[in-house]
Amino acid sequence: MSMKKYVVPEFLSGRVDQDRYERWLKAKARTHSKGDVGRFGVRSSAEAYRDMLHAAVLSSSGKDCYTGEDLHWEKISTYNNDHSRAGKTAYKAGFALLPTADHVRKSDGTFDFVICGWRTNDSKSDLHLEELLELCERVLVHHGYRVEKPDR
C-alpha cells in the first residue's frame, strides 16, 4: 500500500474524503499556478502549489485564518455554476465559509498561502493584513464603534 502525499488532515476526518480533498487541492493548485504567471510572473509546478496549499490547510486547523470561523469543508468541490446563475447572490451566500486559498505576500516579494472563507477572501481582495485591518477599523468607526488596538 503506497502512502498518499496529501493525506486529509485529521481535523477534517469524517467531513471530507481523500478523493474529494485531492480533487480540491489539484483544482486550486492548477488555477493558482496558471493565474500566478500573469499576476506575479511566477512559474512553478502544480506540485509546488499543491505542497504550499496542503501546508496552508494543515496550518489552518480547518478555520478561517482571519476570522477564526470554522470553515465548511464539506462544501469543497460542490459549487455549481448553473445553480449560481439561477440563485445569484443567495446561492453564493451559502458558500461564504467555503474554504479557499489566499495569497500572502512576503517582504522578499514571494508569497505563500493561508486558508480562509470565500467571503473573507472576496472582502480582503489584494490587501495586506495591515491594510485590511485599517479598512475594518474605518468601517467600524464609521458605524459608531470604538476600536481599541492591542498593545504589541
Side-chain angles (χ1 to χ4, degrees):
M1 180 166 103
S2 66
M3 293 291 297
K4 296 270 185 192
K5 183 174 182 180
Y6 306 110
V7 176
V8 175
E10 184 62 34
F11 57 82
L12 296 180
S13 179
R15 296 177 71 190
V16 178
D17 67 28
Q18 185 67 39
D19 288 340
R20 186 189 286 186
Y21 180 72
E22 285 185 34
R23 185 171 57 249
W24 176 82
L25 200 61
K26 286 176 183 176
K28 286 283 174 211
R30 185 174 45 253
T31 298
H32 284 293
S33 67
K34 287 179 182 177
D36 286 352
V37 172
R39 188 174 181 188
F40 300 113
V42 172
R43 289 192 188 278
S44 291
S45 69
E47 182 176 14
Y49 275 84
R50 286 191 300 275
D51 291 346
M52 287 191 296
L53 291 164
H54 183 64
V57 171
L58 294 173
S59 295
S60 78
S61 298
K63 298 182 183 297
D64 184 309
C65 76
Y66 299 108
T67 68
E69 294 170 286
D70 287 324
L71 295 172
H72 296 170
W73 287 91
E74 56 282 343
K75 290 189 174 188
I76 63 172
S77 300
T78 64
Y79 191 81
N80 182 297
N81 287 325
D82 292 332
H83 293 155
S84 179
R85 278 189 286 282
K88 302 195 184 323
T89 57
Y91 179 79
K92 186 175 177 184
F95 288 86
L97 293 173
L98 176 71
T100 192
D102 181 36
H103 288 87
V104 178
R105 293 174 277 171
K106 299 179 187 179
S107 58
D108 66 0
T110 62
F111 64 87
D112 206 347
F113 289 105
V114 294
I115 302 299
C116 62
W118 195 5
R119 174 191 56 207
T120 304
N121 204 357
D122 277 356
S123 299
K124 181 183 171 283
S125 190
D126 290 327
L127 300 174
H128 288 277
L129 178 58
E130 287 303 317
E131 295 168 320
L132 174 65
L133 294 172
E134 289 169 9
L135 174 62
C136 291
E137 180 180 356
R138 288 193 300 275
V139 169
L140 289 168
V141 169
H142 178 72
H143 288 277
Y145 290 86
R146 187 180 74 227
V147 177
E148 295 182 25
K149 296 179 183 175
D151 294 331
R152 288 190 184 179

